[in-house]
Amino acid sequence: MQYLLMIHAEEGGWNKLAKAEQEQGMAAYNAYTEALKKAGVLKSSNRLQPSSASTTVRVANGKPQVQDGPYVESREQIGGYYLIDVADLDAAISWASRCPGASHGVVEVRPTWSMPA
Amino acid sequence: MSLPEGDAQPRDDARKTADAVARRSYGKLVAFLAARTRDVAAAEDALSEAFASALADWPLKGCPENPEGWLLTVARRKVIDMYRGRRRHEIAGEQLRVLAEGLDDAATNAKIPDQRLALMFACGHPAIDAGVRAPLILQVVLGLDAKTIASAFLTSPAAMGKRLGRAKDKIRQAGIPFSVPERGELPGRLDTVLDAIYAAFTEGWTDPGGTDVARRDLTEEAMFLARLVTELLPTEPEALGLLALMLHAEARRHARRSRHGDYVPIAEQDPALWDSQMIDEAEALLRHASAVDSIGRYQLEGALQSAHVYRCRTGHANWAEVVQLYDALFALVGSPVVAINRALAIAEVHGASAALDAMQEAAADGRLAEYQPYWAARAELLAKTGAHAEARHAYEIAIGLERDASVRRFLQQRQSALAP
């Protein structure tokens, strides 16, 4: 099954870190990504630009309404994601708990729309 | 279907056999059917249709030699039909093949692998809402209907049905596995399963008079589940501790009420009315558990029951030991309920004022305001210190919070025994 691991974290958190801490954080994420690849479970992943770069779009009366900012204004935003393919929820939880994001934020584990094979 | 007069006997036999199979194997069959698809609701629907077919078929053709295998074969065909009929885009052809595989073996194979433990771990998974785990296990493993479960958990059948349905959807959609966790994860995951079983037991236990049939049944069902876990995981000390705790509580059921239906506290019970066979079994389980040397909540609670029984039987006051056990339990679970019981034990060793002081911290927990045993304990302790007016007030609230009439009467007697 495929699961999307969404990293919710405080947006300002990263910039408050000292340079050495940022480097350490990057290294931890790189190592985690490498481990997922090595295990053959990583489908895709990326870090996201801050939510200030977000734009929301909805169509009302046939006209696109475009707005600056994220859908939900909140201190915590999705900062990145991993799409993984594993056997079941326990395996997904096990990977989520290793994600550095689970320590500095919260990792939401969500299955994609498909049945177990 | 109507059968001619003379055929009442085979119909009865068919029902008896079906009931026996349901009792013995319901969870086993659901587990087997759902393990591949993780679709618990579909497995239950198919199984209930299979039982209906059995009641129609067996009186005419006689009960099959292997009723479980018969039911499993019919239920699996129904699951396959269900998936085909619904043309569910989610179900792959591969899955249908897996389901159909070995279909005919099942009827001849006497042994259906017991995956009930895996099913319990799925229902008691931490990703399932904690409040619905116990009802879910009762329904899926034992086949209790939503109405019975709802009445035990004091909710409406419709609301309970909805919560159970949501939980089953979660199992399927989130891909919760049907498996016994690995050694390293087992203790933590087992805790959530044991907690669910204990919740089912305590729901039944709140009707100590045993007048409400659904509730009384629930304690039996919970004990059946606890026994099942100890049979399948015979070396898990907490599972043994839980069964011991339940046996101790159950052993005193008949002594908790006088002949007139009045509530009798443990100190005033007649030990001759206790079920000594259950107590012996509980003691043996606790000894067995302690050999593993991994203490936990249920072993401690079992040991406390054991200490109470010892004291009441021998008249040998062991309150210092009881306080120690409560200290350990409080350190482990930190619940205000434990703090209250600990305070009552402290009263026996150091007096009522010391106990009231000990309870002060727990009282900061807002949940206690609506917790009858807190007010009853407080009233008891206040009465002992001579603070009768305050004690009367605390009894008043305890009486107002109680839903069992005989306990209410008991508290009223205590209240009116206070000096004016």
Side-chain angles (χ1 to χ4, degrees), chain B residues 389-419:
Chain B
E390 280 180 86
R392 192 171 292 110
H393 172 69
Y395 271 127
E396 194 67 29
I397 295 172
I399 293 161
L401 290 171
E402 181 54 52
R403 65 180 182 214
D404 183 326
S406 70
V407 175
R408 211 154 42 214
R409 279 199 303 279
F410 170 81
L411 293 169
Q412 281 166 330
Q413 279 158 15
R414 292 276 171 132
Q415 189 190 33
S416 54
L418 290 172

PDB file of all heavy atoms in Angstrom, chain B residues 389-419:
ATOM      1  N   ALA B 389     -20.054  17.329  59.414  1.00  0.00           N
ATOM      2  CA  ALA B 389     -20.818  18.157  58.478  1.00  0.00           C
ATOM      3  C   ALA B 389     -20.268  17.996  57.059  1.00  0.00           C
ATOM      4  O   ALA B 389     -21.009  17.802  56.093  1.00  0.00           O
ATOM      5  CB  ALA B 389     -20.776  19.615  58.912  1.00  0.00           C
ATOM      6  N   GLU B 390     -18.932  18.054  56.955  1.00  0.00           N
ATOM      7  CA  GLU B 390     -18.293  17.892  55.644  1.00  0.00           C
ATOM      8  C   GLU B 390     -18.527  16.489  55.094  1.00  0.00           C
ATOM      9  O   GLU B 390     -18.733  16.302  53.898  1.00  0.00           O
ATOM     10  CB  GLU B 390     -16.785  18.140  55.755  1.00  0.00           C
ATOM     11  CG  GLU B 390     -16.404  19.606  55.773  1.00  0.00           C
ATOM     12  CD  GLU B 390     -14.895  19.761  55.895  1.00  0.00           C
ATOM     13  OE1 GLU B 390     -14.229  19.726  54.847  1.00  0.00           O
ATOM     14  OE2 GLU B 390     -14.391  19.868  57.026  1.00  0.00           O
ATOM     15  N   ALA B 391     -18.483  15.518  56.007  1.00  0.00           N
ATOM     16  CA  ALA B 391     -18.700  14.134  55.591  1.00  0.00           C
ATOM     17  C   ALA B 391     -20.104  13.965  55.019  1.00  0.00           C
ATOM     18  O   ALA B 391     -20.300  13.310  53.996  1.00  0.00           O
ATOM     19  CB  ALA B 391     -18.499  13.183  56.770  1.00  0.00           C
ATOM     20  N   ARG B 392     -21.077  14.601  55.691  1.00  0.00           N
ATOM     21  CA  ARG B 392     -22.469  14.494  55.242  1.00  0.00           C
ATOM     22  C   ARG B 392     -22.601  15.052  53.824  1.00  0.00           C
ATOM     23  O   ARG B 392     -23.248  14.460  52.958  1.00  0.00           O
ATOM     24  CB  ARG B 392     -23.393  15.233  56.216  1.00  0.00           C
ATOM     25  CG  ARG B 392     -24.870  14.925  55.997  1.00  0.00           C
ATOM     26  CD  ARG B 392     -25.758  15.481  57.093  1.00  0.00           C
ATOM     27  NE  ARG B 392     -25.534  14.790  58.376  1.00  0.00           N
ATOM     28  CZ  ARG B 392     -24.952  15.323  59.428  1.00  0.00           C
ATOM     29  NH1 ARG B 392     -24.519  16.572  59.382  1.00  0.00           N
ATOM     30  NH2 ARG B 392     -24.771  14.627  60.532  1.00  0.00           N
ATOM     31  N   HIS B 393     -21.948  16.171  53.590  1.00  0.00           N
ATOM     32  CA  HIS B 393     -21.995  16.804  52.264  1.00  0.00           C
ATOM     33  C   HIS B 393     -21.368  15.887  51.198  1.00  0.00           C
ATOM     34  O   HIS B 393     -21.913  15.710  50.106  1.00  0.00           O
ATOM     35  CB  HIS B 393     -21.253  18.141  52.322  1.00  0.00           C
ATOM     36  CG  HIS B 393     -21.083  18.789  50.978  1.00  0.00           C
ATOM     37  ND1 HIS B 393     -22.139  19.302  50.267  1.00  0.00           N
ATOM     38  CD2 HIS B 393     -19.981  18.962  50.206  1.00  0.00           C
ATOM     39  CE1 HIS B 393     -21.689  19.783  49.116  1.00  0.00           C
ATOM     40  NE2 HIS B 393     -20.388  19.585  49.057  1.00  0.00           N
ATOM     41  N   ALA B 394     -20.209  15.292  51.539  1.00  0.00           N
ATOM     42  CA  ALA B 394     -19.535  14.409  50.583  1.00  0.00           C
ATOM     43  C   ALA B 394     -20.397  13.184  50.280  1.00  0.00           C
ATOM     44  O   ALA B 394     -20.493  12.747  49.129  1.00  0.00           O
ATOM     45  CB  ALA B 394     -18.172  13.976  51.126  1.00  0.00           C
ATOM     46  N   TYR B 395     -21.053  12.635  51.304  1.00  0.00           N
ATOM     47  CA  TYR B 395     -21.968  11.503  51.073  1.00  0.00           C
ATOM     48  C   TYR B 395     -23.097  11.918  50.141  1.00  0.00           C
ATOM     49  O   TYR B 395     -23.502  11.176  49.246  1.00  0.00           O
ATOM     50  CB  TYR B 395     -22.564  11.008  52.399  1.00  0.00           C
ATOM     51  CG  TYR B 395     -21.721   9.948  53.086  1.00  0.00           C
ATOM     52  CD1 TYR B 395     -21.328  10.092  54.417  1.00  0.00           C
ATOM     53  CD2 TYR B 395     -21.340   8.794  52.404  1.00  0.00           C
ATOM     54  CE1 TYR B 395     -20.562   9.127  55.048  1.00  0.00           C
ATOM     55  CE2 TYR B 395     -20.574   7.824  53.033  1.00  0.00           C
ATOM     56  CZ  TYR B 395     -20.189   7.991  54.351  1.00  0.00           C
ATOM     57  OH  TYR B 395     -19.427   7.027  54.956  1.00  0.00           O
ATOM     58  N   GLU B 396     -23.598  13.129  50.362  1.00  0.00           N
ATOM     59  CA  GLU B 396     -24.696  13.643  49.549  1.00  0.00           C
ATOM     60  C   GLU B 396     -24.334  13.584  48.054  1.00  0.00           C
ATOM     61  O   GLU B 396     -25.100  13.093  47.234  1.00  0.00           O
ATOM     62  CB  GLU B 396     -24.973  15.100  49.976  1.00  0.00           C
ATOM     63  CG  GLU B 396     -26.274  15.670  49.472  1.00  0.00           C
ATOM     64  CD  GLU B 396     -27.484  14.988  50.078  1.00  0.00           C
ATOM     65  OE1 GLU B 396     -27.369  14.500  51.223  1.00  0.00           O
ATOM     66  OE2 GLU B 396     -28.525  14.934  49.417  1.00  0.00           O
ATOM     67  N   ILE B 397     -23.128  14.060  47.745  1.00  0.00           N
ATOM     68  CA  ILE B 397     -22.711  14.077  46.337  1.00  0.00           C
ATOM     69  C   ILE B 397     -22.505  12.646  45.825  1.00  0.00           C
ATOM     70  O   ILE B 397     -22.910  12.310  44.710  1.00  0.00           O
ATOM     71  CB  ILE B 397     -21.427  14.919  46.172  1.00  0.00           C
ATOM     72  CG1 ILE B 397     -21.759  16.377  46.531  1.00  0.00           C
ATOM     73  CG2 ILE B 397     -20.902  14.838  44.749  1.00  0.00           C
ATOM     74  CD1 ILE B 397     -20.566  17.278  46.599  1.00  0.00           C
ATOM     75  N   ALA B 398     -21.888  11.799  46.677  1.00  0.00           N
ATOM     76  CA  ALA B 398     -21.659  10.404  46.268  1.00  0.00           C
ATOM     77  C   ALA B 398     -22.993   9.729  45.947  1.00  0.00           C
ATOM     78  O   ALA B 398     -23.120   9.020  44.944  1.00  0.00           O
ATOM     79  CB  ALA B 398     -20.931   9.642  47.374  1.00  0.00           C
ATOM     80  N   ILE B 399     -23.989   9.949  46.778  1.00  0.00           N
ATOM     81  CA  ILE B 399     -25.313   9.351  46.560  1.00  0.00           C
ATOM     82  C   ILE B 399     -25.915   9.862  45.260  1.00  0.00           C
ATOM     83  O   ILE B 399     -26.458   9.097  44.459  1.00  0.00           O
ATOM     84  CB  ILE B 399     -26.256   9.655  47.761  1.00  0.00           C
ATOM     85  CG1 ILE B 399     -25.756   8.925  49.008  1.00  0.00           C
ATOM     86  CG2 ILE B 399     -27.698   9.271  47.443  1.00  0.00           C
ATOM     87  CD1 ILE B 399     -26.294   9.482  50.325  1.00  0.00           C
ATOM     88  N   GLY B 400     -25.748  11.159  45.039  1.00  0.00           N
ATOM     89  CA  GLY B 400     -26.290  11.761  43.827  1.00  0.00           C
ATOM     90  C   GLY B 400     -25.643  11.250  42.557  1.00  0.00           C
ATOM     91  O   GLY B 400     -26.245  11.261  41.494  1.00  0.00           O
ATOM     92  N   LEU B 401     -24.388  10.786  42.653  1.00  0.00           N
ATOM     93  CA  LEU B 401     -23.665  10.328  41.466  1.00  0.00           C
ATOM     94  C   LEU B 401     -23.842   8.833  41.204  1.00  0.00           C
ATOM     95  O   LEU B 401     -23.481   8.342  40.139  1.00  0.00           O
ATOM     96  CB  LEU B 401     -22.159  10.615  41.620  1.00  0.00           C
ATOM     97  CG  LEU B 401     -21.734  12.081  41.558  1.00  0.00           C
ATOM     98  CD1 LEU B 401     -20.262  12.215  41.935  1.00  0.00           C
ATOM     99  CD2 LEU B 401     -21.980  12.657  40.174  1.00  0.00           C
ATOM    100  N   GLU B 402     -24.369   8.080  42.167  1.00  0.00           N
ATOM    101  CA  GLU B 402     -24.449   6.624  42.039  1.00  0.00           C
ATOM    102  C   GLU B 402     -25.643   6.204  41.186  1.00  0.00           C
ATOM    103  O   GLU B 402     -26.726   6.777  41.310  1.00  0.00           O
ATOM    104  CB  GLU B 402     -24.546   5.985  43.438  1.00  0.00           C
ATOM    105  CG  GLU B 402     -24.618   4.472  43.427  1.00  0.00           C
ATOM    106  CD  GLU B 402     -23.485   3.805  42.659  1.00  0.00           C
ATOM    107  OE1 GLU B 402     -22.312   4.128  42.944  1.00  0.00           O
ATOM    108  OE2 GLU B 402     -23.764   2.983  41.773  1.00  0.00           O
ATOM    109  N   ARG B 403     -25.459   5.193  40.333  1.00  0.00           N
ATOM    110  CA  ARG B 403     -26.610   4.746  39.540  1.00  0.00           C
ATOM    111  C   ARG B 403     -27.136   3.394  40.007  1.00  0.00           C
ATOM    112  O   ARG B 403     -28.179   2.942  39.573  1.00  0.00           O
ATOM    113  CB  ARG B 403     -26.265   4.713  38.053  1.00  0.00           C
ATOM    114  CG  ARG B 403     -25.226   3.714  37.649  1.00  0.00           C
ATOM    115  CD  ARG B 403     -24.973   3.788  36.134  1.00  0.00           C
ATOM    116  NE  ARG B 403     -24.000   2.787  35.755  1.00  0.00           N
ATOM    117  CZ  ARG B 403     -23.109   2.942  34.786  1.00  0.00           C
ATOM    118  NH1 ARG B 403     -23.087   4.060  34.109  1.00  0.00           N
ATOM    119  NH2 ARG B 403     -22.270   1.985  34.495  1.00  0.00           N
ATOM    120  N   ASP B 404     -26.397   2.711  40.895  1.00  0.00           N
ATOM    121  CA  ASP B 404     -26.841   1.422  41.408  1.00  0.00           C
ATOM    122  C   ASP B 404     -27.626   1.662  42.709  1.00  0.00           C
ATOM    123  O   ASP B 404     -27.101   2.197  43.686  1.00  0.00           O
ATOM    124  CB  ASP B 404     -25.611   0.541  41.670  1.00  0.00           C
ATOM    125  CG  ASP B 404     -25.989  -0.864  42.144  1.00  0.00           C
ATOM    126  OD1 ASP B 404     -27.003  -0.999  42.866  1.00  0.00           O
ATOM    127  OD2 ASP B 404     -25.272  -1.808  41.794  1.00  0.00           O
ATOM    128  N   ALA B 405     -28.896   1.240  42.707  1.00  0.00           N
ATOM    129  CA  ALA B 405     -29.779   1.545  43.842  1.00  0.00           C
ATOM    130  C   ALA B 405     -29.261   0.964  45.155  1.00  0.00           C
ATOM    131  O   ALA B 405     -29.373   1.594  46.211  1.00  0.00           O
ATOM    132  CB  ALA B 405     -31.187   1.022  43.551  1.00  0.00           C
ATOM    133  N   SER B 406     -28.668  -0.237  45.119  1.00  0.00           N
ATOM    134  CA  SER B 406     -28.248  -0.851  46.377  1.00  0.00           C
ATOM    135  C   SER B 406     -27.024  -0.148  46.964  1.00  0.00           C
ATOM    136  O   SER B 406     -26.876  -0.042  48.181  1.00  0.00           O
ATOM    137  CB  SER B 406     -27.988  -2.350  46.190  1.00  0.00           C
ATOM    138  OG  SER B 406     -26.849  -2.548  45.419  1.00  0.00           O
ATOM    139  N   VAL B 407     -26.148   0.331  46.098  1.00  0.00           N
ATOM    140  CA  VAL B 407     -25.000   1.101  46.584  1.00  0.00           C
ATOM    141  C   VAL B 407     -25.491   2.436  47.153  1.00  0.00           C
ATOM    142  O   VAL B 407     -25.009   2.915  48.185  1.00  0.00           O
ATOM    143  CB  VAL B 407     -23.959   1.328  45.462  1.00  0.00           C
ATOM    144  CG1 VAL B 407     -22.832   2.238  45.942  1.00  0.00           C
ATOM    145  CG2 VAL B 407     -23.393   0.004  44.979  1.00  0.00           C
ATOM    146  N   ARG B 408     -26.509   3.002  46.496  1.00  0.00           N
ATOM    147  CA  ARG B 408     -27.100   4.244  46.982  1.00  0.00           C
ATOM    148  C   ARG B 408     -27.643   4.048  48.403  1.00  0.00           C
ATOM    149  O   ARG B 408     -27.400   4.856  49.289  1.00  0.00           O
ATOM    150  CB  ARG B 408     -28.219   4.673  46.025  1.00  0.00           C
ATOM    151  CG  ARG B 408     -28.392   6.156  45.937  1.00  0.00           C
ATOM    152  CD  ARG B 408     -28.986   6.592  44.615  1.00  0.00           C
ATOM    153  NE  ARG B 408     -30.073   5.746  44.151  1.00  0.00           N
ATOM    154  CZ  ARG B 408     -30.301   5.483  42.866  1.00  0.00           C
ATOM    155  NH1 ARG B 408     -29.502   5.976  41.949  1.00  0.00           N
ATOM    156  NH2 ARG B 408     -31.302   4.735  42.506  1.00  0.00           N
ATOM    157  N   ARG B 409     -28.363   2.936  48.586  1.00  0.00           N
ATOM    158  CA  ARG B 409     -28.906   2.638  49.926  1.00  0.00           C
ATOM    159  C   ARG B 409     -27.785   2.523  50.957  1.00  0.00           C
ATOM    160  O   ARG B 409     -27.860   3.025  52.065  1.00  0.00           O
ATOM    161  CB  ARG B 409     -29.709   1.334  49.903  1.00  0.00           C
ATOM    162  CG  ARG B 409     -31.128   1.480  49.387  1.00  0.00           C
ATOM    163  CD  ARG B 409     -31.983   0.284  49.827  1.00  0.00           C
ATOM    164  NE  ARG B 409     -31.451  -1.003  49.404  1.00  0.00           N
ATOM    165  CZ  ARG B 409     -31.622  -1.502  48.172  1.00  0.00           C
ATOM    166  NH1 ARG B 409     -32.298  -0.823  47.259  1.00  0.00           N
ATOM    167  NH2 ARG B 409     -31.120  -2.678  47.853  1.00  0.00           N
ATOM    168  N   PHE B 410     -26.721   1.831  50.561  1.00  0.00           N
ATOM    169  CA  PHE B 410     -25.572   1.639  51.443  1.00  0.00           C
ATOM    170  C   PHE B 410     -24.990   2.987  51.877  1.00  0.00           C
ATOM    171  O   PHE B 410     -24.737   3.231  53.061  1.00  0.00           O
ATOM    172  CB  PHE B 410     -24.509   0.812  50.711  1.00  0.00           C
ATOM    173  CG  PHE B 410     -23.181   0.732  51.411  1.00  0.00           C
ATOM    174  CD1 PHE B 410     -22.987  -0.173  52.449  1.00  0.00           C
ATOM    175  CD2 PHE B 410     -22.121   1.547  51.032  1.00  0.00           C
ATOM    176  CE1 PHE B 410     -21.757  -0.258  53.089  1.00  0.00           C
ATOM    177  CE2 PHE B 410     -20.894   1.473  51.674  1.00  0.00           C
ATOM    178  CZ  PHE B 410     -20.722   0.573  52.705  1.00  0.00           C
ATOM    179  N   LEU B 411     -24.832   3.885  50.915  1.00  0.00           N
ATOM    180  CA  LEU B 411     -24.272   5.198  51.218  1.00  0.00           C
ATOM    181  C   LEU B 411     -25.224   6.010  52.101  1.00  0.00           C
ATOM    182  O   LEU B 411     -24.788   6.732  52.998  1.00  0.00           O
ATOM    183  CB  LEU B 411     -23.965   5.955  49.917  1.00  0.00           C
ATOM    184  CG  LEU B 411     -22.841   5.371  49.059  1.00  0.00           C
ATOM    185  CD1 LEU B 411     -22.812   6.028  47.680  1.00  0.00           C
ATOM    186  CD2 LEU B 411     -21.475   5.532  49.739  1.00  0.00           C
ATOM    187  N   GLN B 412     -26.505   5.853  51.848  1.00  0.00           N
ATOM    188  CA  GLN B 412     -27.500   6.576  52.657  1.00  0.00           C
ATOM    189  C   GLN B 412     -27.450   6.113  54.115  1.00  0.00           C
ATOM    190  O   GLN B 412     -27.565   6.922  55.035  1.00  0.00           O
ATOM    191  CB  GLN B 412     -28.907   6.402  52.070  1.00  0.00           C
ATOM    192  CG  GLN B 412     -29.134   7.303  50.874  1.00  0.00           C
ATOM    193  CD  GLN B 412     -30.380   6.916  50.072  1.00  0.00           C
ATOM    194  OE1 GLN B 412     -30.757   5.750  50.019  1.00  0.00           O
ATOM    195  NE2 GLN B 412     -30.983   7.903  49.423  1.00  0.00           N
ATOM    196  N   GLN B 413     -27.275   4.800  54.311  1.00  0.00           N
ATOM    197  CA  GLN B 413     -27.160   4.272  55.677  1.00  0.00           C
ATOM    198  C   GLN B 413     -25.942   4.860  56.376  1.00  0.00           C
ATOM    199  O   GLN B 413     -25.997   5.264  57.532  1.00  0.00           O
ATOM    200  CB  GLN B 413     -27.055   2.744  55.657  1.00  0.00           C
ATOM    201  CG  GLN B 413     -28.409   2.057  55.507  1.00  0.00           C
ATOM    202  CD  GLN B 413     -28.277   0.646  54.968  1.00  0.00           C
ATOM    203  OE1 GLN B 413     -27.168   0.076  54.959  1.00  0.00           O
ATOM    204  NE2 GLN B 413     -29.379   0.076  54.508  1.00  0.00           N
ATOM    205  N   ARG B 414     -24.814   4.893  55.638  1.00  0.00           N
ATOM    206  CA  ARG B 414     -23.596   5.463  56.221  1.00  0.00           C
ATOM    207  C   ARG B 414     -23.809   6.925  56.594  1.00  0.00           C
ATOM    208  O   ARG B 414     -23.365   7.379  57.636  1.00  0.00           O
ATOM    209  CB  ARG B 414     -22.434   5.377  55.223  1.00  0.00           C
ATOM    210  CG  ARG B 414     -21.969   3.967  54.956  1.00  0.00           C
ATOM    211  CD  ARG B 414     -20.988   3.544  56.028  1.00  0.00           C
ATOM    212  NE  ARG B 414     -20.686   2.125  55.926  1.00  0.00           N
ATOM    213  CZ  ARG B 414     -19.451   1.613  55.946  1.00  0.00           C
ATOM    214  NH1 ARG B 414     -18.427   2.413  56.077  1.00  0.00           N
ATOM    215  NH2 ARG B 414     -19.267   0.329  55.866  1.00  0.00           N
ATOM    216  N   GLN B 415     -24.493   7.613  55.713  1.00  0.00           N
ATOM    217  CA  GLN B 415     -24.713   9.041  55.938  1.00  0.00           C
ATOM    218  C   GLN B 415     -25.579   9.259  57.179  1.00  0.00           C
ATOM    219  O   GLN B 415     -25.269  10.097  58.022  1.00  0.00           O
ATOM    220  CB  GLN B 415     -25.375   9.678  54.714  1.00  0.00           C
ATOM    221  CG  GLN B 415     -25.442  11.193  54.791  1.00  0.00           C
ATOM    222  CD  GLN B 415     -26.306  11.782  53.686  1.00  0.00           C
ATOM    223  OE1 GLN B 415     -27.284  11.167  53.270  1.00  0.00           O
ATOM    224  NE2 GLN B 415     -25.931  12.955  53.215  1.00  0.00           N
ATOM    225  N   SER B 416     -26.642   8.462  57.305  1.00  0.00           N
ATOM    226  CA  SER B 416     -27.545   8.707  58.430  1.00  0.00           C
ATOM    227  C   SER B 416     -26.958   8.206  59.752  1.00  0.00           C
ATOM    228  O   SER B 416     -27.422   8.584  60.824  1.00  0.00           O
ATOM    229  CB  SER B 416     -28.919   8.092  58.160  1.00  0.00           C
ATOM    230  OG  SER B 416     -28.776   6.735  57.847  1.00  0.00           O
ATOM    231  N   ALA B 417     -25.892   7.365  59.688  1.00  0.00           N
ATOM    232  CA  ALA B 417     -25.238   6.896  60.909  1.00  0.00           C
ATOM    233  C   ALA B 417     -24.341   7.983  61.525  1.00  0.00           C
ATOM    234  O   ALA B 417     -23.867   7.843  62.647  1.00  0.00           O
ATOM    235  CB  ALA B 417     -24.420   5.643  60.609  1.00  0.00           C
ATOM    236  N   LEU B 418     -24.102   9.066  60.738  1.00  0.00           N
ATOM    237  CA  LEU B 418     -23.259  10.145  61.264  1.00  0.00           C
ATOM    238  C   LEU B 418     -23.964  10.858  62.411  1.00  0.00           C
ATOM    239  O   LEU B 418     -25.179  11.041  62.382  1.00  0.00           O
ATOM    240  CB  LEU B 418     -22.966  11.167  60.153  1.00  0.00           C
ATOM    241  CG  LEU B 418     -22.041  10.727  59.021  1.00  0.00           C
ATOM    242  CD1 LEU B 418     -22.036  11.792  57.928  1.00  0.00           C
ATOM    243  CD2 LEU B 418     -20.642  10.471  59.533  1.00  0.00           C
ATOM    244  N   ALA B 419     -23.168  11.277  63.409  1.00  0.00           N
ATOM    245  CA  ALA B 419     -23.748  12.040  64.519  1.00  0.00           C
ATOM    246  C   ALA B 419     -24.261  13.371  63.972  1.00  0.00           C
ATOM    247  O   ALA B 419     -23.656  13.940  63.068  1.00  0.00           O
ATOM    248  CB  ALA B 419     -22.697  12.275  65.594  1.00  0.00           C
TER     249      ALA B 419
END
